[in-house]
Amino acid sequence: MTTLLSLPHSPREFGFYLDGAFHGGRPLFERASPAHGVPVSRIPKCTVADLEAAVVAARRAFEDRRWAGLPGAARGAVLLRAADILRRRRDEIAYWEVLENGKPISQARGEIDHCIACFEVGAGAARLLHGDSFNNLGDSLFGMVLREPVGVVGLITPWNFPFLILCERVPFILASGCTMVVKPSEVTSATTLLLAEVLAEAGLPNGVYNVITGSGRSIGQALTEHPDVDMLSFTGSTAVGRSCVHAAADSNFKKLGLELGGKNPIIVFADSDLEDAADGAAFGISFNTGQCCVSSSRLIVERSVAAEFEALVAAKMARIRVGDPLDAATQVGAITTAAQNDTILGYIARGTAEGAQLLAGGQAVDLGRGQYIAPTLFAGVTPDMAIAREEIFGPVLCSLRFDTVEEAIALANDTVYGLAASVWTKNIDKALTVTRRVRAGRFWVNTIMAGGPEMPLGGFRQSGWGREAGMSGVEEYTQTKSVHVELGKRAHWVTG
Ligand code: NDP
């Protein structure tokens, strides 16, 4: 018997989800567990005609107001029921995240808890979403600002957090009254399809949530170009984000929400609790094997303590438990795709060739099957090195040094990105000065990776457009309509 801590005996075949029903009959993409190398799932390779049908279903469900026309309280009730069902199915969904993504089971379970919270916050947001009024336009004119759902949303999600990134968007899209067509990464589609079961059981009307599976280059590209999709929410690489902007401009000027890459600084002052900060640095780059848009990948450390601090981080990295993600004790699991594995190892080789000094890791970990990389620390990194500038998307931390607060801020901002940042100091002046001056959409002071779905998420600069989660996350999927109401008799324009 297969248990939730052993591998399935045979790969499970999934159907794609269109207008309230699962469908099969398409060629299948077989996904092997990146941690174990055995096939775990078979996912339909949908056609562009399937995508077309999904957009038609989502459009119909939007226009007949079966969802947008409900009171916010009714939409919120569906989201709360979904949260309850997720609580019941937590371990099963976490298991599928492990099988397809390679992340540790304990981490995956924590992520599902976060997803449950997203649905609960989304439920509250559905009830609280409101517009505005203007009572200051003079006695003869009254102004109302209505918030209306944007319409049909295309949602493209990546493979690093297949369920978490999905759930940081779906409840908020649903709270707004929009309908959607989701295209998950082909390599991690299972849990996006499991969410369809959850939402159906929670009472979501047919056609509101549709999932079309297949590759990014075929289905994803077609979704970005679709003229009847009103908004596209994309999370992934900056290169594909750029192609989404072109596709939107060349089709229907669809609204865009983009969450792209990051090269996030962790700034450590000499006056910080160095043990705490070293733990934060080791965690910030190793969490999800560094395949995380908010990974703290650039250590910017005050020169007077740099050598001591780097040694502390290296020692902690050496103690991180890299292993089989189905083992509850594992802290760092597998690299999700072979291509990503090659990319990370390529950057490690490049760092060494560029003259950086390897203080920890620096190589693949051989567990007999699957692909794993040891948490890695490079010291002596200079700002011009590729490993300091480019998003590696792996467990590779690069250490740069500073002498003054101004220098720390300048180094932190020396990137095209602006997703997240962290600062460690006991001095409130330094903490707040750095927080105000470093350009990043998410900031941590003496902590890292903390937070919940109440607060908005998103990036500055080339890290993206728009905000997800919180009330901003719902508002992102709405547009405002300004309504002017004449009170009493209107003064005539034609007087002759
Ligand atoms: P992509 O940007 O290619 O993939 C992200 C999503 O976009 C996936 O669903 C993918 O589908 C889809 N996609 C791919 N090509 C297109 C396209 N032309 N039009 C529309 N959708 C498309 O990321 P990669 O998988 O190639 O990863 C490369 C790099 O991107 C990483 O090394 C990392 O730097 C960055 N990245 C950042 C993420 C983030 O959270 N900010 C997440 C993932 C990657 P499919 O997978 O089926 O091809």
Side-chain angles (χ1 to χ4, degrees), residues 162-474:
F163 202 66
L164 183 133
I165 286 178
L166 181 74
C167 293
E168 283 179 344
R169 285 134 185 79
V170 168
F172 300 95
I173 296 172
L174 292 177
S176 74
C178 289
T179 62
M180 74 192 92
V181 177
V182 188
K183 205 305 279 180
S185 171
E186 189 168 41
V187 296
T188 54
S189 298
T191 54
T192 304
L193 293 162
L194 292 178
L195 185 63
E197 295 177 1
V198 170
L199 292 172
E201 187 185 340
L204 188 73
N206 293 346
V208 176
Y209 176 85
N210 306 276
V211 184
I212 298 298
T213 49
S215 80
R217 255 174 303 187
S218 59
I219 298 302
Q221 183 76 31
L223 187 54
T224 66
E225 292 168 353
H226 203 290
D228 203 30
V229 169
D230 301 298
M231 176 167 174
L232 182 78
S233 170
F234 170 82
T235 305
S237 63
T238 301
V240 177
R242 188 166 280 117
S243 82
C244 292
V245 176
H246 289 298
D250 292 342
S251 54
N252 60 341
F253 282 108
K254 54 180 67 66
K255 186 177 177 186
L256 289 175
L258 303 172
E259 189 175 314
L260 309 173
K263 190 74 184 172
N264 310 295
I266 170 169
I267 302 164
V268 177
F269 284 95
D271 65 9
S272 64
D273 180 324
L274 292 185
E275 274 287 341
D276 256 26
D279 191 74
F283 173 58
I285 190 61
S286 306
F287 176 67
N288 212 50
T289 57
Q291 299 175 117
C292 183
C293 52
V294 293
S295 286
S296 44
S297 49
R298 286 185 301 143
L299 169 62
I300 297 174
V301 57
E302 193 162 351
R303 195 176 309 277
S304 59
V305 294
E308 177 192 352
F309 187 75
E310 287 160 355
L312 270 175
V313 176
K316 284 185 187 285
M317 280 181 163
R319 283 164 35 216
I320 291 171
R321 292 185 297 275
V322 180
D324 185 331
L326 285 171
D327 179 343
T330 291
Q331 291 176 295
V332 167
I335 304 298
T336 304
T337 67
Q340 192 60 31
N341 198 58
D342 291 348
T343 301
I344 300 166
L345 291 175
Y347 273 112
I348 292 174
R350 202 159 163 194
T352 309
E354 282 177 315
Q357 295 114 44
L358 204 49
L359 295 191
Q363 76 279 324
V365 176
D366 185 3
L367 297 182
R369 56 184 183 175
Q371 58 221 6
Y372 299 84
I373 294 178
T376 295
L377 174 63
F378 276 116
V381 177
T382 52
D384 55 312
M385 291 182 184
I387 56 168
R389 307 207 71 77
E390 296 171 22
E391 186 181 40
I392 298 174
F393 224 57
V396 182
L397 179 62
C398 302
S399 180
L400 302 112
R401 298 179 180 188
F402 70 89
D403 291 302
T404 65
V405 175
E406 286 303 319
E407 214 183 320
I409 293 168
L411 278 171
N413 283 332
D414 184 18
T415 170
V416 297
Y417 297 111
L419 200 55
S422 159
V423 59
W424 299 72
T425 173
K426 290 202 176 122
N427 180 309
I428 188 75
D429 297 352
K430 285 183 198 165
L432 288 182
T433 301
V434 168
T435 301
R436 291 165 92 168
R437 300 262 310 278
V438 171
R439 290 192 284 263
R442 214 181 310 185
F443 227 98
W444 292 289
V445 179
N446 293 328
T447 185
I448 204 145
M449 304 281 174
E454 293 84 357
M455 289 172 70
L457 317 170
F460 286 24
R461 305 162 105 192
Q462 291 187 33
S463 289
W465 290 348
R467 294 293 177 266
E468 305 286 352
M471 282 312 288
S472 326
V474 189

